Amino acid sequence: MTVFSLYLHIPFCRHRCAYCDFNTYSGQEDLIPAYVEALCNEIRQVGRTAPNRLPVHTLYFGGGTPSLLPAEAIGLILETCRASFEVLPDAEISLEANPGTLTLEWLQTIRRLGVNRLSLGMQSAHPEDLRLLERQHDFFDVSQTVRWARRAGFENINLDLIYGIPFQTLARWEATLERALGMFPEHLSLYALSIEHATPFYHWVARGLLPPPDDDVAAEMYEKADAMLTQSGYLQYEISNWAIRREGRLWVCQHNLQYWLNEPYLGFGAGAHGFVEHLRTANVRSIRAYIERLQTPAQLPFPLTPATEQTQTIDPLTEMQETMMMGLRLTQEGVSRQRFEQRFHRSIEEVFGPTIASLVNLGLLEWRGERLCLTQRGRLLGNRVFMEFVDISAP
């Protein structure tokens, strides 16, 4: 049975951070009620046009800052999802939150409503880093939020961290990791800072006000993190993600696994993307335009809605390439030879044989039984490996 995932984009922020290029907006919180109504309308329309009552095993509130929504709005969105789709009883329901925007009462309420995974944007434990990133919290806010989340009944907490920040030393990065580990999260996501076009960071680097990221320092920080997290019992299951085995389960992010396995998901909200039935969709990015488009019901073919701005049909070769690039991010699982053949009715070697052989010879890929995986060196050069699967003609 094919199971689906739902991504719910909440594009509101109190302040847009200097490094962020996500589809987020500050100063538009007055539009939240109308936006929630539009989001629910979009969910209902897709539910009505779906070929059947789709089974859903993960939901993800991303942003932006979903924790800016009133708890009642979270409840209404979840109620709409449950009415429109077959949300499975054990579904993983994640919500991104910024420390400093939460209260214990709010956390208790959303936990009762069914949210069972919390992802906190910690980023760093040090005020110097947080000021440069223009984050609106400090480490006390993070530790307090984790304490409140535990009291509210959350057993699945992720912390996001950023490394390779200008002027960040290896010692400061180690201290951030130690403080994060001291809160015993089930999951950690570690991202190297990237300078995205049109962000304040981009302009600061271009004007010489900040040094560009140092790839060698970032690689050293990445290796240090892997060593520290492994020593603390965490398993690196994806290039940027670590999970701990606790209470008989490995606390991986099931929603992100849907992306990495290139399985179907529906995207709702301003700027949200989806992938279903060999079709990629992208919604209009503007909050006001999104709200306006969803004010008039329309009977469009599944999975389109009035908010859909772009579509792209994915041909079989492209889907195979994307499956390789995404699947190889999974450091333990990699790409399964059997799963690939069942999905595409062709063997991996038939489609990508010379590319795989070359990358194996370079020490970037290796076969582990029936699974093709990145080597330790390959993890540091992941983008190079992935690009090798792009420039391939149909065999």
Side-chain angles (χ1 to χ4, degrees):
M1 178 182 70
T2 300
V3 290
F4 289 74
S5 292
L6 308 183
Y7 175 76
L8 307 153
H9 190 66
I10 311 299
F12 301 95
C13 280
R14 286 181 180 166
H15 172 79
R16 187 178 171 88
C17 299
Y19 60 92
C20 178
D21 74 333
F22 295 155
N23 188 45
T24 64
Y25 306 87
S26 60
Q28 298 194 34
E29 289 88 337
D30 59 314
L31 295 175
I32 286 177
Y35 183 83
V36 170
E37 181 181 353
L39 185 63
C40 290
N41 285 340
E42 186 181 23
I43 294 166
R44 292 188 193 102
Q45 290 190 37
V46 174
R48 283 196 296 268
T49 59
N52 50 57
R53 192 168 165 82
L54 302 179
V56 170
H57 76 127
T58 75
L59 297 88
Y60 194 100
F61 289 84
T65 311
S67 49
L68 291 181
L69 264 57
E72 299 75 24
I74 300 291
L76 177 61
I77 295 167
L78 287 175
E79 181 183 330
T80 305
C81 289
R82 292 180 178 120
S84 303
F85 305 101
E86 188 62 41
V87 178
L88 302 179
D90 59 348
E92 176 191 87
I93 303 177
S94 301
L95 184 138
E96 291 181 349
N98 282 344
T101 65
L102 308 168
T103 65
L104 173 58
E105 181 182 14
W106 188 89
L107 286 165
Q108 289 171 329
T109 303
I110 67 162
R111 183 67 192 89
R112 285 196 301 270
L113 292 169
V115 179
N116 52 28
R117 184 176 185 273
L118 197 64
S119 182
L120 298 175
M122 174 178 169
Q123 316 310 4
S124 174
H126 293 270
E128 298 93 335
D129 297 335
L130 294 171
R131 274 197 300 270
L132 188 59
L133 296 171
E134 295 190 346
R135 299 292 294 177
Q136 303 295 295
H137 70 268
D138 57 23
F139 178 69
F140 174 79
D141 293 326
V142 179
S143 59
Q144 183 181 62
T145 300
V146 170
R147 288 195 301 271
W148 283 346
R150 296 301 190 195
R151 285 178 59 186
F154 281 92
E155 298 177 341
N156 192 357
I157 295 176
N158 169 67
L159 298 177
D160 280 350
L161 301 176
I162 295 178
Y163 61 94
I165 303 168
F167 312 116
Q168 183 186 39
T169 64
L170 183 61
R172 206 153 80 196
W173 171 236
E174 288 183 47
T176 285
L177 289 168
E178 288 170 356
R179 288 189 172 187
L181 290 168
M183 290 181 282
F184 306 104
E186 282 68 32
H187 191 279
L188 286 152
S189 296
L190 277 50
Y191 302 110
L193 178 69
S194 59
I195 306 300
E196 303 297 341
H197 187 75
T199 62
F201 260 49
Y202 177 87
H203 296 297
W204 295 342
V205 170
R207 293 166 58 192
L209 300 176
L210 280 181
D214 187 318
D215 291 342
D216 292 335
V217 171
E220 189 176 3
M221 290 179 171
Y222 180 81
E223 292 180 321
K224 171 58 71 173
D226 187 31
M228 290 178 65
L229 269 58
T230 299
Q231 187 176 10
S232 297
Y234 289 81
L235 175 71
Q236 184 186 23
Y237 72 98
E238 194 271 344
I239 285 181
S240 301
N241 290 272
W242 284 256
I244 199 160
R245 189 173 297 280
R246 189 177 289 164
E247 297 176 3
R249 63 173 284 190
L250 184 66
W251 294 84
V252 301
C253 179
Q254 298 295 334
H255 183 84
N256 285 344
L257 277 176
Q258 191 85 355
Y259 300 150
W260 296 321
L261 294 172
N262 208 19
E263 297 291 348
Y265 62 94
L266 297 167
F268 299 107
H273 290 235
F275 172 57
V276 60
E277 295 185 351
H278 313 292
L279 187 71
R280 292 207 180 277
T281 61
N283 279 355
V284 62
R285 293 171 60 87
S286 160
I287 293 175
R288 293 182 186 276
Y290 176 78
I291 292 171
E292 290 171 4
R293 287 185 178 217
L294 268 303
Q295 286 175 341
T296 304
Q299 195 75 8
L300 297 173
F302 176 81
L304 307 183
T305 76
T308 307
E309 187 173 54
Q310 296 178 354
T311 62
Q312 179 188 8
T313 301
I314 304 301
D315 61 77
L317 177 61
T318 300
E319 190 167 332
M320 286 186 279
Q321 291 171 319
E322 292 177 349
T323 297
M324 295 299 294
M325 290 187 289
M326 298 299 288
L328 286 172
R329 293 188 62 90
L330 297 170
T331 55
Q332 305 297 320
E333 185 172 345
V335 178
S336 162
R337 179 186 270 131
Q338 181 181 16
R339 188 182 189 122
F340 186 96
E341 192 163 344
Q342 287 176 343
R343 177 169 179 170
F344 298 110
H345 308 292
R346 303 176 72 175
S347 71
I348 295 180
E349 288 89 348
E350 180 186 352
V351 184
F352 301 114
T355 300
I356 292 172
S358 173
L359 292 168
V360 168
N361 289 335
L362 289 170
L364 301 176
L365 288 181
E366 62 184 2
W367 283 102
R368 299 178 195 161
E370 292 296 300
R371 298 184 180 278
L372 184 66
C373 302
L374 291 172
T375 62
Q376 189 71 30
R377 179 167 173 261
R379 296 177 194 181
L380 292 171
L381 300 170
N383 287 338
R384 174 184 171 183
V385 175
F386 306 148
M387 290 306 296
E388 291 294 320
F389 290 95
V390 175
D391 299 321
I392 294 176
S393 301

